């Protein structure tokens, strides 16, 4: 696994805000996604010593050791688990764990679309994590009999669960972008990504999910890897207020618009369920506009590829976590 595949994910770990408030307790949390929420599945699939997350600074500020998270500290899913009174969500592949209070199916590098799609387009060298949403869903369905064993008891069980879907999609787009495919081609993946999210969401609903948080994507045009790969001498390629790349942020906004539209459709179709859109986009933009507010070095971090000095992450996590808890009326 190439180190660079993951570098650009670091700064994304942190910004998560939810567009409406709940004050609700759950009996379990089930999470699907990629490195923004993987709490340790990837090292159980690939040899950890070949991964950048196998050593410090990963895990440095909170756990004191690498834990398989793409962060120096905790992820949003960790803060959420804590806020709802759960232990850290165990990675599904850690066999022998008790999953009654939830499981984490997220795998770093995972795509929404199945890997065969990328292989069929000559992108198999870049897309190498075969734990797409459909594979993660299969894991969930494998786990299910150990949690409940009648339709009725399952519906009852999952009606008290929080289902988190995403962030997912970043890797579906970063794969062709890293191969410098045309933006037209990359945009054509968006409906397929949304369809994959739609399919997994509906399957979870069939299984009894009633409370679902679906997360949008963070702005790709602010990722260090793309600011480097797509560096331009034309001023108009950049948003002057953030220094991020306009075209790639347009791509992310397109994805997020389609995702919100999907949620609107779900709200109509399943009027008694709860769908929450979690926004990763605006908080990153706010941060890029006003880095000093969140820690002076952030602007520089976003604009370089550095992955080694992650000290600012925990500060922002803290800020973001507090605002999240306020929104969820937990503090
Ligand atoms: C990916 O995983 C799925 C489920 O385990 C499997 O059916 C499929 O063959 C795998 N694909 C590749 C390309 O490894
Ligand atoms: C499954 O059913 C058996 C017997 O009907 C019961 O003893 C067991 O606790 C059930 N398992 C779960 C997870 O509900």
């Amino acid at each position: 696994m190439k180190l660079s595949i993951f570098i650009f994910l670091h700064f994304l770990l942190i910004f998560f805000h939810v567009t409406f408030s709940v004050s609700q307790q759950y009996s379990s949390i089930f999470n699907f996604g990629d490195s923004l929420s993987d709490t340790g599945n990837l090292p159980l699939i690939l040899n950890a010593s070949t991964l950048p997350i196998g050593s410090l600074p990963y895990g440095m500020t909170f756990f004191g050791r690498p834990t398989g998270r793409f962060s120096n500290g905790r992820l949003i899913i960790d803060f959420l688990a804590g806020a709802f009174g759960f232990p850290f969500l165990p990675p599904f592949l850690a066999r022998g764990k008790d999953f009654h209070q939830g499981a984490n199916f997220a795998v770093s590098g995972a795509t929404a679309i199945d890997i065969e799609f990328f292989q069929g387009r000559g992108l198999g060298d870049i897309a190498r994590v075969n734990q797409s949403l459909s594979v993660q869903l299969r894991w969930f369905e494998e786990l299910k009999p150990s949690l409940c064993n009648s339709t009725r008891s399952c519906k009852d069980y999952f009606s008290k669960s929080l289902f988190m879907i995403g962030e997912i999609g970043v890797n579906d787009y970063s794969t062709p972008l890293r191969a410098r495919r045309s933006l037209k081609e990359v945009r054509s993946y968006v409906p397929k990504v949304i369809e994959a999210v739609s399919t997994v969401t509906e399957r979870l609903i069939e299984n009894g999910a009633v409370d679902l948080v679906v997360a949008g994507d963070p702005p790709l045009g602010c990722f260090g890897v793309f600011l480097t790969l797509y560096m331009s001498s034309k001023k108009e390629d950049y948003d002057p207020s953030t220094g991020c790349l306009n075209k790639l942020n347009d791509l992310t906004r397109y994805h997020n618009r389609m995702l919100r539209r999907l949620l609107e459709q779900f709200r109509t179709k399943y009027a008694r369920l709860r769908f929450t859109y979690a926004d990763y986009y605006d908080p990153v933009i706010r941060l890029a506009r006003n880095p000093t507010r969140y820690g002076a070095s952030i602007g520089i971090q976003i604009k370089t590829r550095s992955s080694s000095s992650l000290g600012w992450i925990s500060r922002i996590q803290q800020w973001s976590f507090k605002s999240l808890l306020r929104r969820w009326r937990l503090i």
Side-chain angles (χ1 to χ4, degrees):
M1 187 64 39
K2 282 217 187 79
L3 185 136
S4 53
I5 295 181
F6 298 111
I7 284 178
F8 62 90
L9 292 170
H10 296 170
F11 80 88
L12 304 170
L13 303 171
I14 32 197
F15 319 96
F16 186 87
H17 89 161
V18 175
T19 51
F20 87 143
S21 302
V22 290
S23 111
Q24 170 154 0
Q25 293 302 316
Y26 301 100
S27 56
S28 53
I29 304 179
F30 296 94
N31 182 72
F32 302 80
D34 59 22
S35 58
L36 294 207
S37 60
D38 181 356
T39 51
N41 280 314
L42 187 69
L44 299 169
I45 297 168
L46 300 169
N47 181 354
S49 67
T50 67
L51 296 169
I53 52 169
S55 50
L56 298 177
Y58 292 92
M60 182 176 68
T61 60
F62 184 78
F63 300 97
R65 63 186 166 84
T67 61
R69 288 166 176 80
F70 273 83
S71 173
N72 65 333
R74 283 163 288 179
L75 305 176
I76 293 301
I77 190 72
D78 296 318
F79 287 119
L80 278 179
F84 289 120
F86 294 109
F88 293 126
L89 211 53
F92 172 69
L93 295 177
R95 302 281 171 182
K97 294 270 183 189
D98 180 357
F99 296 113
H100 282 88
Q101 290 187 301
N104 193 351
F105 305 101
V107 178
S108 299
T111 47
I113 308 173
D114 288 345
I115 191 137
E116 288 79 3
F117 172 86
F118 300 96
Q119 289 171 339
R121 276 157 187 76
L123 295 166
D125 286 351
I126 301 176
R128 287 163 56 190
V129 173
N130 180 25
Q131 278 78 28
S132 63
L133 276 184
S134 73
V135 175
Q136 295 180 26
L137 179 71
R138 204 170 312 162
W139 287 351
F140 168 75
E141 290 181 342
E142 263 171 56
L143 177 67
K144 197 174 132 179
S146 73
L147 303 174
C148 56
N149 50 20
S150 70
T151 308
R152 198 182 160 159
S153 71
C154 289
K155 293 247 166 190
D156 185 53
Y157 188 89
F158 295 127
S159 72
K160 296 182 200 118
S161 305
L162 174 63
F163 286 85
M164 310 270 305
I165 304 156
E167 171 281 324
I168 191 84
V170 159
N171 295 309
D172 298 73
Y173 308 129
S174 69
T175 297
L177 286 173
R178 286 161 48 79
R180 295 196 149 272
R181 295 293 168 87
S182 72
L183 268 172
K184 189 168 171 241
E185 175 178 342
V186 184
R187 277 178 81 89
S188 75
Y189 294 12
V190 174
K192 296 178 183 28
V193 169
I194 302 297
E195 193 188 316
V197 172
S198 172
T199 303
V200 73
T201 305
E202 296 226 55
R203 283 281 285 279
L204 293 173
I205 292 168
E206 282 162 28
N207 276 295
V210 301
D211 199 337
L212 302 107
V213 173
V214 182
D217 282 2
L220 283 168
C222 303
F223 285 33
V225 64
F226 297 124
L227 287 162
T228 307
L229 266 177
Y230 289 83
M231 196 178 284
S232 163
S233 55
K234 291 190 211 134
K235 241 181 157 173
E236 64 271 24
D237 287 345
Y238 296 93
D239 173 345
S241 75
T242 56
C244 302
L245 287 159
N246 288 325
K247 281 188 180 146
L248 297 191
N249 282 0
D250 286 348
L251 171 72
T252 305
R253 280 201 301 274
Y254 173 45
H255 166 95
N256 288 344
R257 267 199 313 279
M258 284 203 69
L259 189 65
R260 291 174 113 130
R261 204 171 301 154
L262 175 73
L263 292 189
E264 279 312 314
Q265 288 162 7
F266 281 152
R267 287 185 183 117
T268 309
K269 185 169 172 188
Y270 305 103
R272 290 165 58 192
L273 309 192
R274 174 149 52 186
F275 298 93
T276 305
Y277 177 76
D279 180 17
Y280 275 93
Y281 188 94
D282 286 340
V284 177
I285 296 293
R286 278 208 304 280
L287 170 76
R289 281 201 183 124
N290 195 358
T292 48
R293 190 177 154 196
Y294 308 110
S297 63
I298 289 158
I300 299 157
Q301 289 294 331
I302 287 180
K303 286 163 192 161
T304 67
R305 298 177 77 166
S306 169
S307 65
S308 56
S309 60
L310 302 176
W312 53 272
I313 287 184
S314 48
R315 252 176 301 162
I316 303 168
Q317 272 178 335
Q318 232 167 24
W319 167 79
S320 169
F321 175 55
K322 277 197 183 132
S323 77
L324 178 74
L325 291 187
R326 235 173 271 129
R327 279 168 184 279
W328 286 51
R329 303 219 173 116
L330 290 168
I331 56 172

